[in-house]
Amino acid sequence: MFRVAVFLVICASSALLLAAGGTPPDEPKGQPEPKAKALPARHVEKLGRGVVALHHGEGKVFVSWRLLGTDPEAVAFNVYRKTGDAEAVKLTNEPLTKGTCFEDKGVEFAKPVQYTVRTVIDGKEGEASRAWTLPANAPAQPYISVPLKTLPGHTPNDATVADLDGDGEYEIILKQEQRPRDNSQKGATGETKLEAYKMDGTLRWRINLGKNIREGAHYTQFLVYDFDGDGKAEVMCKTADGTVDGGGTVIGNKDADHRNADGYVLDGPEYLTVFDGMTGKALATVDYVPARGKVSDWGDAYGNRVDRFLAGVAYLDGSRPSAVFCRGCYTRTVLAAWDWRAGKLSQRWVFDSNEAGRAYTGQGDHSLSVADVDGDGKDDIIYGAMTVGSDGKGLYSTGLGHSDALHVSDFDPDRPGLEVFNIHEKKPDCGVSFRDAKTGKVIWSKPSTDVGRGLAANIDPRHKGAQFWASGPGLDGLYNVKGEKVSDRKPRSCNFAIWWDGDPLRELLNGNTVSKWNWERGTETTLLTATGCSSNNGTKSAPALSADIFGDWREEVMLRTSDNKELRIYTTPIPTDMRLCTLMHDPQYRVAIAWQNVGYNQPPHPSFYLGEGMKMPPRPNITTDRVKP
């Protein structure tokens, strides 16, 4: 602003001099532009190598592992197999420099078989990774089984992963439900439980949210992340009178029952609690912001819109993660950002559409996304048709209103920055829109009425960038990044997407199947059917979780078995030479895994274009150093 002011003064002085017949002063000599300020590294979890090995039949074992965002560019890998008590045998003739996977053949399983990986840097071999062990007589199966201790009458639902104990490997945090209901449906619900499991099925703790937290997709948004940087993740969620932590301690009044005759909870205190990830013990509890206040101020008087909650993890200062807990989407919308630092929970900022102006009223979705839309190194909150900046102030509102699906990434690699693909309800002239994530400018849109679902993914290699499709009248094909129809046919589903096979194209995940889009025939080819497994949340057909949990950069899918007794984590058996860092070290993708369980689950997207014709992304600007209290 100072330079602009000086320039205007000089111009005004020159104009006065010229008007008086004088000569303008010499223009100031150009000063060198200051160097761009280096963006701070983001503190992320310190992951192990994430080796996974599965027997896929006929003595074939597929092994894969992580390339970390902190690895040197020239790192290579050797793979070792240990059978029984024998010495480990190196399986790689030369260190592997391409894909971070290996297929071992002719394996006998009379004894346990163990796989490890060692880095090779400048010709020097590093220490062995944590081993993955296949038991004697290991069955051929494409999944890891995680046995559950599901209580009678409960059903496993959404899940997430985080390192709860600081050992570099993920644990599973699972929501268990009894009788969930949508906010629009009256009636009593059950009591939601949050459970933490080791990958071997060891139950670490169980939190009972109690009768005063209504049960359903819009009520319990649980965030699990290392918020204070000590290497161990915490759990944050909304609580109430009668919530019981993992150690048996009750929050608030244990005898209070605030449910009304219709089963809604419209009275009584509302809290936000931080739980210890190791034990489930409550560490801090504060009043939930915003308070419900007068129920009708949120759009109706019976309790539907007042209890529409969202949440997300965001690096609001560019370096350390904060939690953002929200209320409202149809009318009033409030976002409150919180920091968990040195054992204290403090509020960073509050955004309220009542204060921001009418343009921000009713622009929320049933999910949110988090990304650095303006390139300043700090995360912003894409809250449907509007975006709130890292400082808690509105960046823009498109005014296109509420929707049920939202996708944010670098979908068009030939234009700068990120883009947003959004669908819209009751906007006949704009059923879907594709916009610039920084400015909100709509690049293209398509008319349709009451669109319920939409997806963005690169599934056709003939067209660079993502393709887009949605379920709505008139949206009868695939569209490219310019809004041009490139196919009259589209996939039958538009729920989830997953990177599964060996190329950069994304596959389709719907219910318990993974399929490949055949772009020449306009059909789908099934790659995986998870027999005996079920998806969640009705027609949304969402997995418990889809994420790059372990192995190489490709994604796993976590599903509950239909008898609710176990989780199965399916991982690809397909070799690839494509080498990418684990997606969990891309901060945008990592926080997407944290908010995937929120509202209407959406698939995660990285901060860079991952698809046909992609350029290799730069190494992420991250650090795994632990923060001192």
Side-chain angles (χ1 to χ4, degrees), residues 92-103:
T92 44
N93 295 325
E94 297 289 338
L96 302 176
T97 58
K98 294 183 179 179
T100 53
C101 59
F102 180 84
E103 189 172 53

Side-chain angles (χ1 to χ4, degrees), residues 404-519:
D404 286 359
L406 173 70
H407 306 276
V408 183
S409 188
D410 187 6
F411 292 125
D412 183 354
D414 290 334
R415 69 181 305 278
L418 305 177
E419 295 84 30
V420 178
F421 180 61
N422 208 185
I423 67 170
H424 306 285
E425 290 184 0
K426 301 176 182 178
K427 273 282 184 183
D429 58 336
C430 187
V432 300
S433 66
F434 186 60
R435 74 179 191 250
D436 181 274
K438 178 179 179 179
T439 66
K441 180 181 179 181
V442 175
I443 300 167
W444 56 262
S445 64
K446 302 293 175 185
S448 188
T449 55
D450 202 11
V451 183
R453 210 70 174 154
L455 194 55
N458 179 219
I459 60 174
D460 188 334
R462 299 172 297 185
H463 306 280
K464 189 177 180 181
Q467 287 76 57
F468 309 89
W469 66 104
S471 59
L475 302 173
D476 53 356
L478 277 179
Y479 301 91
N480 66 12
V481 294
K482 298 185 183 301
E484 302 163 337
K485 185 188 284 190
V486 295
S487 171
D488 288 330
R489 307 189 74 175
K490 62 182 179 182
R492 290 170 295 175
S493 72
C494 50
N495 285 330
F496 257 72
I498 184 171
W499 280 290
W500 184 261
D501 65 8
D503 63 35
L505 298 175
R506 216 165 187 189
E507 281 65 60
L508 307 169
L509 171 58
N510 184 47
N512 67 341
T513 63
V514 173
S515 57
K516 182 84 170 177
W517 177 247
N518 186 320
W519 54 87

Side-chain angles (χ1 to χ4, degrees), residues 166 226-234 276 320 340 626-627 629:
D226 181 9
F227 288 104
D228 60 5
D230 68 350
K232 301 176 183 179
E234 295 80 33
D276 182 84
R320 299 175 65 182
W340 175 248
R626 293 182 178 177
V627 177

Side-chain angles (χ1 to χ4, degrees), residues 49 51 65 75-80 88 90 92 95-96 116-121 124-129:
R49 197 54 63 184
V51 174
W65 58 94
V75 66
F77 298 94
N78 282 326
V79 182
Y80 286 80
K90 185 168 72 171
T92 44
L96 302 176
T116 55
V117 168
R118 293 175 181 262
T119 60
V120 180
I121 301 172
K124 184 178 179 180
E125 195 172 60
E127 295 182 356
S129 67

